[in-house]
Amino acid sequence: MLRLSKNKLSAALAVSLLSSLSAAVSAAEERWFEVEVYLFERDAPSVEQWPAKVAETRTRKTVDFITPMVSTDLTAVSMGLNGCSSSDWATDSVNCNEQLSKANHKALADVPMQIAAPRPAVAHLGDGAVLLAETQSQFKDIIATISREKGTTSLLHMTWQQSMLPRSRAIPVKLYSGHDYSEQYEFNGQPIEVNTSASEFGNFDFMESQFSSDTQEPVWKLDGTINIYLQHYLFIETNFTLREEGYKTITLTQNERLMSPNTEESVADVSAQEVTKPYLYAIGMQQNRRVRSDEVHYFDHPKMGMIIQIRKMQQPSAMTSQVTDNLATLPQATY
């Protein structure tokens, strides 16, 4: 019996050792790159017809640098997060995201163009993707040049470090910026109708007013994902949606049944009417392109543009205890 127990213990230790060695080898073989991206909108006339149906938001796992950055100045009470700190976002993002979605709170109505860590950062072995500081970016001159062009508006600028994995294992980075239109428009672009016919108190729905209106999903000016993966070559896969206010003419069909007060007979009055109303257009940008590292690449679109560079970098080393203490106070990407 004792020999059997020792054999089991030895086997367990061997499996544990092999797993640790495998993880160490895998981490050592990772190829890390630095990514800088700049997105801008162009106000130019276009004859293209944009799809009426809004593409569904990606539901697969993503890396989110932006939410921790724009939420760190909010107290746990106002967010309803029961004390979710930046460290909690990194270690238990599922729970924090769930609380954020249920919180009776509206986040920033406008996300700034520049998303950056408060001080220089660097990736370490075993880490996920790491957001860098603005001083670590290299697009200052490019952004200045494009910003001077007539009809262009900056949308988002970010720099980060990440390991490049095959497409089946790569985790896309979630990007969003600009104004949140959820107070004016539904996700499908239809304007939110305000019911003014109800009396001030007669039809008040306490439950709906407390929960429904404050838990609307944001409808950002720009949102989507960028997936960078390594499949012998580097590939960039974009899935963005740019929203633009405008007007849409639709045909309404009215079918009113006019009931006679003395009989059960009815008359159908069918008429068609064209109505022009505000509409939030969703303009997609889906591209997949093979690229070379260290080159500056431009992704073109009638309504927007993207400048991106994937730079070679010194491969990460193991994290020291001092670095661990310093990083504890930085907002971490959520997954």
Side-chain angles (χ1 to χ4, degrees), residues 1-16:
M1 180 66 70
L2 182 61
R3 177 175 295 180
L4 181 61
S5 299
K6 288 184 177 180
N7 289 339
K8 287 184 177 180
L9 180 60
S10 299
L13 289 174
V15 170
S16 177

Side-chain angles (χ1 to χ4, degrees), residues 46-263:
S46 174
V47 296
E48 293 199 29
Q49 297 294 319
W50 311 116
K53 185 177 180 181
V54 182
E56 291 295 328
T57 305
R58 179 189 293 268
T59 56
R60 64 178 288 191
K61 184 179 181 181
T62 58
V63 178
D64 184 359
F65 292 115
I66 300 175
T67 298
M69 293 303 302
V70 300
S71 302
T72 49
D73 60 330
L74 303 173
T75 65
V77 174
S78 67
M79 291 181 68
L81 292 179
N82 298 325
C84 263
S85 64
S86 59
S87 177
D88 295 326
W89 279 102
T91 57
D92 193 10
S93 62
V94 173
N95 181 49
C96 288
N97 273 314
E98 183 178 353
Q99 292 185 57
L100 179 61
S101 65
K102 292 180 179 178
N104 185 16
H105 170 78
K106 287 295 291 183
L108 292 179
D110 294 272
V111 172
M113 182 274 288
Q114 184 71 52
I115 298 294
R119 58 178 177 271
V122 64
H124 293 86
L125 284 180
D127 281 351
V130 176
L131 181 66
L132 302 185
E134 186 175 358
T135 55
Q136 294 173 279
S137 64
Q138 300 180 16
F139 279 5
K140 182 178 179 180
D141 293 339
I142 293 177
I143 294 174
T145 300
I146 294 177
S147 298
R148 286 194 295 266
E149 295 183 7
K150 185 178 179 181
T152 62
T153 303
S154 296
L155 292 171
L156 183 65
H157 176 223
M158 288 173 56
T159 308
W160 68 89
Q161 293 176 347
Q162 70 170 87
S163 62
M164 297 301 172
L165 302 173
R167 190 173 189 270
S168 60
R169 295 168 52 205
I171 303 176
V173 176
K174 179 180 179 181
L175 303 180
Y176 62 92
S177 72
H179 183 64
D180 176 11
Y181 291 100
S182 61
E183 294 290 341
Q184 299 87 35
Y185 297 93
E186 303 284 356
F187 182 78
N188 61 9
Q190 298 294 337
I192 295 177
E193 303 291 344
V194 179
N195 185 7
T196 58
S197 61
S199 64
E200 186 176 358
F201 299 104
N203 295 328
F204 180 73
D205 189 333
F206 175 79
M207 294 298 291
E208 182 176 355
S209 70
Q210 287 293 311
F211 299 102
S212 298
S213 61
D214 289 332
T215 56
Q216 294 174 340
E217 290 296 324
V219 182
W220 296 110
K221 172 72 175 180
L222 170 77
D223 71 28
T225 58
I226 180 169
N227 189 27
I228 306 173
Y229 59 94
L230 186 63
Q231 207 83 28
H232 301 296
Y233 300 95
L234 284 169
F235 288 85
I236 300 174
E237 183 179 24
T238 66
N239 184 18
F240 296 132
T241 297
L242 177 72
R243 291 179 171 86
E244 184 178 86
E245 287 187 286
Y247 291 89
K248 187 176 183 179
T249 300
I250 59 176
T251 302
L252 298 179
T253 301
Q254 233 177 13
N255 190 355
E256 298 178 345
R257 300 182 64 87
L258 305 177
M259 302 296 298
S260 171
N262 300 322
T263 66

